[in-house]
Amino acid sequence: MNAIAKLTVAILFANVPPLLGQTTFSKITTREIATDINRSFGVAWGDFDNDGWIDLFVANGYEEPNGLYRNNGDGTFTVITSGPVVTDGGDSLCGVWADLDNNGGLDLYVTNYDPTSADFVYSNNGIGEFVKVAGPWDDDGAAGVGAAWADYDLDGFVDIFVANWQGRPFLYRNTGAGSMELVESGHPVDIGDPSRSERGPTTTTTGIWIFSCRTTTVLRATTP
């Protein structure tokens, strides 16, 4: 082992807790979250109130209200019962957190599987209070199954990619003026195969598409 390898190993293991490998988990069956009975499909962790403790969003389907839980910092959570995040009933599959307007508060994008129910976007005022935001997703007519934030054009504002079942994906560009615009053409919105997923076992997936925003190269990983 050369000197560089030895240094790397030393650094990696210097931060390992002495009891690593002895940690165990106990299933929590009481209190909030564990006792909420819903048909849930996705979760997302994020510190939406900026108190240093990660909170939890739960996406519920079949028109059931979604769940939002504030972390109290002592191993317990407070169920949020008011506000648009938990009162908008949809057929939600997932939620993703990101700071859409760069105000220091995590905003939330929620995909809905029912094509008649638009995706939800909630703006955070920076102290954990949300307002529902209108945008091009309101009339997309698609079955959203997943989403991801990233600043693909490197303008300092996060954009969003939405994968849809049996339909073309959507790419929304953040204009930096408090709004998003739908990207109408180009990769990845012009891919030949729809981005496909389904509840339960995925037997019709045609592959995973990987796009580079710096080149025109497209790599496709196909399934057997």
Side-chain angles (χ1 to χ4, degrees):
M1 182 180 295
N2 58 37
I4 296 178
K6 290 180 180 179
L7 178 60
T8 302
V9 171
I11 292 174
L12 287 175
F13 283 92
N15 293 319
V16 175
L19 295 180
L20 185 65
Q22 301 179 29
T23 302
T24 60
F25 290 87
S26 298
K27 185 176 182 180
I28 298 174
T29 58
T30 59
R31 301 198 306 264
E32 61 289 323
I33 303 178
T35 56
D36 286 350
I37 307 301
N38 295 297
R39 286 171 286 189
S40 304
F41 291 94
V43 299
W45 293 95
D47 182 11
F48 73 83
D49 54 0
N50 286 327
D51 65 353
W53 301 97
I54 55 172
D55 312 295
L56 180 65
F57 169 81
V58 179
N60 297 319
Y62 300 98
E63 304 304 320
E64 295 177 351
N66 293 316
L68 186 61
Y69 304 89
R70 177 180 284 112
N71 190 333
N72 299 322
D74 60 0
T76 65
F77 291 82
T78 296
V79 182
I80 305 300
T81 58
S82 61
V85 175
V86 297
T87 57
D88 287 336
D91 192 16
S92 302
L93 289 192
C94 89
V96 288
W97 297 100
D99 187 0
L100 171 66
D101 48 10
N102 288 353
N103 71 343
L106 288 178
D107 309 301
L108 181 64
Y109 191 104
V110 181
T111 63
N112 285 311
Y113 183 77
D114 185 349
T116 64
S117 178
D119 291 347
F120 302 143
V121 180
Y122 303 101
S123 176
N124 186 340
N125 64 1
I127 59 175
E129 298 172 345
F130 294 91
V131 175
K132 192 173 182 179
V133 178
W137 43 80
D138 288 337
D139 56 0
D140 59 22
V145 296
W149 296 95
D151 180 12
Y152 81 91
D153 54 359
L154 302 179
D155 64 353
F157 293 91
V158 290
D159 315 291
I160 188 163
F161 175 83
V162 180
N164 298 308
W165 167 246
Q166 291 187 328
R168 62 185 292 176
F170 296 143
L171 179 62
Y172 298 109
R173 179 181 174 273
N174 191 335
T175 65
S179 63
M180 308 281 282
E181 61 181 16
L182 178 65
V183 177
E184 301 283 357
S185 62
H187 292 306
V189 296
D190 283 341
I191 62 176
D193 291 337
S195 43
R196 305 182 69 177
S197 182
E198 180 58 291
R199 296 169 180 166
T202 304
T203 57
T204 57
T205 300
T206 56
I208 300 173
W209 292 84
I210 304 173
F211 300 90
S212 169
C213 64
R214 292 184 177 273
T215 69
T216 57
T217 302
V218 181
L219 304 177
R220 184 186 180 199
T222 58
T223 55

